[in-house]
């Protein structure tokens, strides 16, 4: 990594990377369900931080009106990274740092990472996340009825989040922690990762709603959660 003209090495800063520690707020879906995720784990690889880039266009609208999706920048130059395999976790508690990322000083606008299946290097043999990309635990409530739910999600190889929001100016004096945040509700558009799912019609095991690979509901939820709309990086 060099400066202009290649004559000077660019200044870099090492910053810890983790996940946000606060509990995930409940999401109210388009079908009126209140979804509260109490524990979410996602297996990922290679966190990247980017400068510049072009604004995303909303996937469903871009073909017609090409309006930029607010807050998200894609295609920026990668000038910071935390390489390696990690499991992101949000359960309302502070998590140990994933590691230390190295970033060139500058104005950042985006972040990327890839999904993968968790391996025995990540979790114990009987852990439900093993062999899958995501594991969710929580509760579903509607019309005075509440039920627990779990979901195991598989993600196709080479699927990545590109251009999650990351707005920060990194200087040689920066000392912040970079925390990856999950949004059950898109803060820009108001839709949720659980829209379109009629939870109380789904199969149950011992009273727990289950979403498993191979089902239509699995595919709906997976497509929503794996988008950049659901993630951001915040400086703490």
């Amino acid at each position: 990594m060099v400066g202009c003209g290649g004559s000077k090495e660019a200044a870099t800063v090492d910053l810890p990377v983790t996940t946000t520690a606060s509990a995930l707020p409940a999401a109210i879906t388009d079908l009126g369900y209140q979804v509260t995720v109490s524990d979410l784990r996602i297996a990922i690889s290679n966190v990247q931080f980017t400068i510049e880039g072009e604004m995303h266009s909303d996937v469903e609208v871009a073909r017609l009106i090409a309006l930029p999706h607010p807050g998200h920048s894609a295609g920026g130059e990668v000038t910071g990274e935390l390489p390696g395999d990690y499991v992101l976790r949000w359960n309302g508690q502070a998590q140990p740092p994933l590691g230390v990322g190295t970033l060139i000083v500058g104005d950042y606008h985006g972040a990327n990472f890839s999904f993968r299946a968790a391996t025995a290097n990540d979790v114990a043999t009987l852990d439900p996340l093993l062999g899958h990309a995501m594991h969710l635990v929580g509760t579903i409530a509607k019309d005075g009825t509440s039920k627990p739910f779990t979901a195991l999600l598989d993600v196709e190889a080479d699927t990545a989040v590109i251009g999650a929001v990351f707005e920060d100016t990194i200087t040689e004096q920066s000392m912040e922690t970079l925390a990856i945040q999950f949004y059950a509700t898109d803060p820009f558009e108001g839709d949720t990762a659980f829209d379109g799912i009629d939870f109380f019609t789904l199969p149950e095991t011992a009273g727990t709603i289950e979403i498993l690979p191979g089902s239509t509901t699995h595919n709906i939820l997976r497509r929503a959660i794996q988008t950049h709309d659901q993630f951001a990086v915040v400086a703490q």
Side-chain angles (χ1 to χ4, degrees):
M1 294 184 288
V2 297
C4 296
S7 60
K8 181 179 180 181
E9 184 174 322
T12 63
V13 177
D14 292 335
L15 299 175
V17 181
T18 185
T19 53
T20 51
S22 57
L24 298 175
I28 306 299
T29 76
D30 60 338
L31 299 180
Y33 289 99
Q34 178 176 292
V35 182
T36 303
V37 177
S38 57
D39 195 358
L40 168 60
R41 292 180 295 162
I42 303 178
I44 68 159
S45 296
N46 301 330
V47 183
Q48 300 176 331
F49 306 99
T50 64
I51 61 173
E52 300 178 347
E54 299 177 355
M55 297 300 291
H56 276 295
S57 293
D58 184 275
V59 173
E60 298 300 325
V61 180
R63 296 188 186 94
L64 300 177
I65 56 179
L67 290 178
H69 187 293
H72 298 271
S73 295
E77 181 182 357
V78 176
T79 54
E81 64 176 349
L82 172 65
D85 293 339
Y86 304 97
V87 174
L88 307 179
R89 188 170 197 175
W90 297 269
N91 64 356
Q93 302 176 22
Q95 301 298 314
L98 303 172
V100 176
T102 300
L103 295 86
I104 294 177
V105 299
D107 295 327
Y108 282 79
H109 301 289
N112 314 324
F113 57 81
S114 299
F115 297 102
R116 63 184 179 86
T119 71
N121 293 326
D122 303 303
V123 295
T125 302
L126 299 180
D127 192 300
L129 182 61
L130 183 64
H132 304 281
M134 308 183 198
H135 181 225
L136 299 85
V137 177
T139 57
I140 309 295
K142 185 179 181 181
D143 298 332
T145 299
S146 179
K147 296 182 180 182
F149 88 99
T150 64
L152 281 174
L153 306 181
D154 293 338
V155 176
E156 295 179 2
D158 300 323
T159 300
V161 166
I162 303 295
V165 173
F166 173 42
E167 296 288 343
D168 194 20
T169 297
I170 302 298
T171 71
E172 293 183 64
Q173 290 73 44
S174 291
M175 299 178 64
E176 59 260 47
T177 293
L178 306 181
I180 301 173
Q181 186 167 22
F182 173 78
Y183 294 120
T185 302
D186 184 338
F188 298 104
E189 298 184 349
D191 53 335
T192 84
F194 307 96
D195 285 353
I197 300 175
D198 194 353
F199 284 95
F200 286 174
T201 68
L202 300 180
E204 298 181 17
T205 298
T208 298
I209 298 169
E210 289 187 325
I211 299 173
L212 299 174
S215 66
T216 299
T217 303
H218 166 276
N219 296 337
I220 293 172
L221 184 55
R222 176 190 63 187
R223 283 196 297 269
I225 289 185
Q226 70 187 26
T227 67
H228 64 263
D229 297 0
Q230 312 307 140
F231 299 94
V233 177
V234 295
Q236 298 181 333

